[in-house]
């Protein structure tokens, strides 16, 4: 009966996490592709012209540009911090949910590899559809978010495992006491 209850709880948790992933993906699609973002690039340009302004392949160029602009008071603090920390925060749930839902992706390198492919696809699609830029710094920041999410997953998994073992021990002790009490009653 206890094992049956545990299976039901695991299935329920998997359904809840799957629903959370679906809602997260829908929110991500909306945020990254559908909502008006005030793109500073001329979207009517041919893709080859658009690429001159909307592609950054130099690591940390955009991040350093934001920090430099902040130091020189050339940019609103909210814009810079939202861009940097927003790119990190956007993919924290991905780093948490993917290993929760797929056992094959519970190793950090596997989770990071799948995440890299997803983030690369997102950046590429944003560029192709001209709803954002292709920025290697976004990829770096998104992957930092994935790693943070993965770390939260590892901590949560360790707590779950420890709690689960503790509960099982308590249940076993109760069952052993019942068994001993029954045996003592029958022997009297």
């Amino acid at each position: 009966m206890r094992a049956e209850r545990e299976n039901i709880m695991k299935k329920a948790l998997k359904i809840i996490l799957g629903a959370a992933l679906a809602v997260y993906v829908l929110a991500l699609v909306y945020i990254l592709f559908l909502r008006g973002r005030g793109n500073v690039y001329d979207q009517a340009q041919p893709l080859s012209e658009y690429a001159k302004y909307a592609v950054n392949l130099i690591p940390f160029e955009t991040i350093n540009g934001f920090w430099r602009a902040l130091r020189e008071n050339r940019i609103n603090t909210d814009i810079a911090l939202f861009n940097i920390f927003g790119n990190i925060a956007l993919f924290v749930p991905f780093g948490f949910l993917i290993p929760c839902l797929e056992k094959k992706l519970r190793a950090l390198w596997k989770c990071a590899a799948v995440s890299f492919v997803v983030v690369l696809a997102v950046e590429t699609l944003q560029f192709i559809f001209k709803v954002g830029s292709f920025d290697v710094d976004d990829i770096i920041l998104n992957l930092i978010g994935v790693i943070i999410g993965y770390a939260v997953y590892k901590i949560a998994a360790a707590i779950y495992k420890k709690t689960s073992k503790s509960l099982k021990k308590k249940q076993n002790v109760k069952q052993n006491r019942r068994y001993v009490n029954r045996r003592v009653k029958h022997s009297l």
Side-chain angles (χ1 to χ4, degrees):
M1 180 133 145
R2 185 181 77 219
E4 189 177 312
R5 201 173 325 142
E6 282 181 30
N7 284 337
I8 291 170
M9 292 300 289
K10 283 182 182 180
K11 286 179 184 178
L13 183 60
K14 195 130 183 144
I15 289 169
I16 291 167
L17 290 171
L21 180 63
V23 169
Y24 166 71
V25 168
L26 290 173
L28 204 59
V29 168
Y30 175 76
I31 290 167
L32 296 175
F33 296 103
L34 301 177
R35 76 180 169 113
R37 294 170 46 163
N39 197 339
V40 295
Y41 308 112
D42 181 9
Q43 295 176 326
Q45 295 179 21
L47 203 55
S48 58
E49 286 297 311
Y50 184 75
K52 291 178 183 176
Y53 306 100
V55 174
N56 170 39
L57 300 174
I58 301 168
F60 304 106
E61 183 172 279
T62 302
I63 296 168
N64 287 333
F66 276 123
W67 290 124
R68 207 172 19 260
L70 275 172
R71 280 194 311 270
E72 297 168 4
N73 291 320
R74 291 184 292 122
I75 191 171
N76 185 332
T77 305
D78 294 348
I79 293 170
L81 295 180
F82 184 77
N83 189 293
I84 292 170
F85 294 109
N87 271 303
I88 292 171
L90 208 52
F91 278 85
V92 170
F94 195 79
F96 176 80
L97 292 169
I98 292 302
C100 280
L101 290 167
E102 184 55 56
K103 286 183 180 182
K104 294 176 186 173
L105 300 177
R106 290 193 175 158
L108 175 59
W109 74 270
K110 289 180 182 179
C111 181
V114 167
S115 300
F116 175 76
V117 171
V118 169
V119 169
L120 187 62
V122 164
E123 288 295 310
T124 302
L125 291 170
Q126 281 183 322
F127 170 70
I128 290 171
F129 293 120
K130 299 179 185 174
V131 293
S133 60
F134 182 98
D135 193 336
V136 71
D137 286 357
D138 288 352
I139 294 171
I140 291 167
L141 294 169
N142 293 160
L143 290 175
I144 289 170
V146 167
I147 291 168
I148 291 168
Y150 182 83
V152 172
Y153 156 75
K154 290 299 276 187
I155 292 166
I159 291 169
Y160 176 79
K161 189 175 180 180
K162 187 176 181 179
T163 304
S164 180
K165 279 184 180 179
S166 176
L167 287 174
K168 282 181 183 177
K169 278 184 181 179
K170 286 180 182 178
Q171 287 173 345
N172 287 338
V173 167
K174 282 182 182 179
Q175 284 178 342
N176 288 339
R177 282 184 190 151
R178 284 186 203 135
Y179 176 76
V180 169
N181 287 340
R182 271 188 253 140
R183 297 290 290 174
V184 169
K185 264 185 175 178
H186 289 292
S187 65
L188 295 174

